[in-house]
Amino acid sequence: VHDETAGGSYEELRASFTAAVSHDLRTPLARVLALLETALLPGTDPRQLVEQAREEVEQISELVDDVLFLSELETGREVVSLGSTRVEPIVRDVAEQLGERAERADVALTFQVEEGLELPLRPRMLRMVVENLVENAVRYAGPRASFALTAGHENGTVVISAVDDGAGVPDEELLRLFERFYRGDRVRASRGTGLGLAIVKHVVNAAGGSVEALRSSGGGLEVRCVFPS
Ligand SMILES: Nc1ncnc2c1ncn2[C@@H]1O[C@H](COP(=O)(O)OP(=O)(O)OP(=O)(O)O)[C@@H](O)[C@H]1O
Ligand SMILES: [Mg+2]
């Protein structure tokens, strides 16, 4: 399934975007407010409440960062496509960073990067792509699933492929995964904003590449990022 940007007016898109961000900000903000009010009551342990409030604020900052990053991307190609970055060190870093979470989720991760491979992206952007793909597998593939990230030349292009054999998504959802704020029916109860793959798409597009999501041969999800070589 190839990704095709949906039609609709820019104003409509902007309005729904703003509404969704406001909604996602309001929930943690309300929790912070409740925690602060509780801390003022006599006989409560403010330290624990402050710690909880700090976590909520961190979540808010992450969302704001993602939104700012996305709008930065949308204003210009040069923000992203400057420079060239070796893929292997970044993948190794992300693998280390997410290894523990993957173990807890019982998802086996493997990584295979062509030696010396570079991509026309700044390090932060490349990291963003790899992180999002691995994190999604850890979150959604389900226990006993395997995930493999491979990067290398394929038929005159450079491909980053993220494949798992986990829960996957129904075929009719595949087209929508790259939309901002889109989350699958099955995962709505879990934390997440639905921005990860939208960001992946923008970064890859900005580097002149394209993205697609398909059912993997193992019945899970495959996300492919294809760059001109
Ligand atoms: N490996 C996967 N297996 C099954 N479903 C997936 C996988 N990766 C993504 N999805 C589905 O695609 C949706 C969109 O993913 P995306 O990364 O854009 O958002 P998110 O993970 O929900 O939130 P965020 O990344 O902003 O924290 C997910 O909510 C999930 O339904
Ligand atoms: Mg995600």
Side-chain angles (χ1 to χ4, degrees), residues 124-209:
R124 179 176 165 221
M125 310 292 161
L126 181 56
R127 170 182 289 273
M128 202 97 184
V129 170
V130 174
E131 245 172 30
N132 270 303
L133 296 173
V134 181
E135 187 183 53
N136 278 349
V138 170
R139 276 195 190 156
Y140 309 123
R144 290 180 304 284
S146 306
F147 167 86
L149 185 128
T150 56
H153 284 83
E154 244 179 66
N155 309 319
T157 61
V158 177
V159 178
I160 298 180
S161 155
V163 188
D164 68 63
D165 60 2
V169 301
D171 286 344
E172 64 275 14
E173 286 186 12
L174 286 173
L175 267 175
R176 307 201 56 195
L177 297 187
F178 299 101
E179 288 174 18
R180 281 177 293 197
F181 299 109
Y182 184 77
R183 307 199 71 215
D185 271 338
R186 295 182 196 157
V187 310
R188 296 254 163 83
S190 67
R191 269 196 182 180
T193 328
L195 281 173
L197 288 175
I199 289 173
V200 168
K201 179 186 163 190
H202 276 284
V203 170
V204 173
N205 286 168

Side-chain angles (χ1 to χ4, degrees), residues 24 28 41 57 61 67 137 145 151 156 183 202 209 212 217 221:
D24 267 29
L41 298 175
V57 171
S61 312
V67 170
R183 307 199 71 215
H202 276 284
E212 55 183 328
S217 55
L221 182 69

